[in-house]
Amino acid sequence: MNIDSINNGIVIDHIEAGKSMEIYKYLGLENLDCSVAIIKNVKSKKSEKKDIIKIDNDMDINMDILGYIDTNITVNIIKDGKIIKKAHMELPEKLVNIVKCENPRCITTEQQDVDQIFELKDRKNKIYRCKYCEAQAKKNNSII
Amino acid sequence: MNSSTAKGESVSDTIRTVGCYSDIIAMRHPKEGAPTLVSQVSTVPVINAGDGGHNHPTQTLTDLLTISKEKGKLSDLTIGLCGDLKFGRTVHSLITAMTRYKNIKFVLISPNELKIPDYIKEEKLKKNNIEYIETNDIEEYIDKLDILYMTRVQKERFFNEADYVRLKDYYILTLDKLKNAKKDLCIMHPLPRVNEIAKEVDQDPRACYFKQVEYGRYIRMALILKLLGIK
């Protein structure tokens, strides 16, 4: 299968196979006007299979979201057909307005104008807790 | 404050307003994390006087003073926590505080539905290598306890009244249940109590819960003086 290379844009590479749609939603890529290619189950040297997302336009990518989802992801910024920057992901210390606290007793469920903030409490086990009520962020928490 | 909230005012706006009239704000709020939120916008110190089922730090200061005065120490203690350990904010705060002291052991006594939250076990107890046992039976380890901290099953924490009715009288401490307890056991309760401690226990010298109220008055006075900068 051939997907055209891009001249100016972003390639999100080394996505764990099957997670590309999750990233598509988290980054709000459905709102873009440009071409976006989601390539699933690509053969990979590092792991058996991977997903790739190609975005045919410049845009600001929220690296915190990608680091939260998978630290193996790399982001390549392409300009004039060349990679001008390759970024590796890290677990962010803080998630701001990325996931929503689902504890019905949390103040953030009542005060709609409050930023949803989760803080990294356990790097080894990737545990994030709500800054306010300390409820743990779960992978199935709503996306903001 | 109630009338502004009823009109739809945000809790942050309420605190900014109240801060213009006061030197300190003591805030009790049903939603968890409300004091953390308002402390970010308040111009005066905010005391968390209890936020939902989350934390109750001034009760913990009270509890620490009670333990220190009644036992003469804050280390080398086996503490039984009994009742609603899931929503019991005083219990969560007390465990957090006691992790600072040496050789503390906990006996966590609750029905399965009201067990201590996993995050308290993982991040407070296991992380600090604190020994603990979980049990449903109040009498099983009562002879080992230096402190027995009773809590009320709180109606306001349940979304389903049937669950509350089923669990509210799960534990009732009586003199008979105390027959194997140590002579110098210290029985504590953050109050108000409903049925979880029988009235007959009030006359037992081991009952410390009304003294605990008095210690609460002193510690809150001390906290207010500190925040006002008065020595």
Side-chain angles (χ1 to χ4, degrees), chain A residues 104-105 107 129 131 134, chain B residues 31-32 40 54 119 123:
Chain A
R105 296 175 181 83
I107 185 67
R129 294 203 174 278
K131 177 182 179 177
E134 298 184 85
Chain B
K31 289 289 183 183
E32 299 174 8
Q40 296 167 8
H54 184 218
Y119 83 90
E123 290 167 32

Side-chain angles (χ1 to χ4, degrees), chain A residues 111 113, chain B residues 1 4 8-20 37-38 41:
Chain A
Q111 304 284 312
D113 56 340
Chain B
M1 195 186 267
S4 309
E9 187 180 54
S10 73
V11 69
S12 298
D13 282 4
T14 304
I15 288 298
R16 283 192 188 103
T17 307
V18 174
C20 295
L37 173 66
V38 302
V41 299

Side-chain angles (χ1 to χ4, degrees), chain B residues 69-130:
Chain B
K69 289 288 179 192
E70 294 300 312
K71 304 304 292 182
K73 58 184 179 180
L74 285 163
S75 53
D76 305 307
L77 294 166
T78 300
I79 303 171
L81 301 168
C82 178
D84 178 2
L85 307 188
K86 183 178 180 184
F87 301 118
R89 58 192 178 192
T90 59
V91 165
H92 303 165
S93 288
L94 183 59
I95 289 175
T96 305
M98 294 309 293
T99 58
R100 293 162 165 264
Y101 301 101
K102 284 183 186 165
N103 195 25
I104 297 295
K105 294 173 187 163
F106 285 106
V107 178
L108 306 172
I109 310 153
S110 69
N112 288 338
E113 295 90 335
L114 297 176
K115 282 169 93 166
I116 202 94
D118 284 344
Y119 83 90
I120 301 271
K121 278 194 266 184
E122 294 296 327
E123 290 167 32
K124 313 286 184 192
L125 297 171
K126 288 183 188 171
K127 198 172 171 183
N128 292 295
N129 295 317
I130 301 208

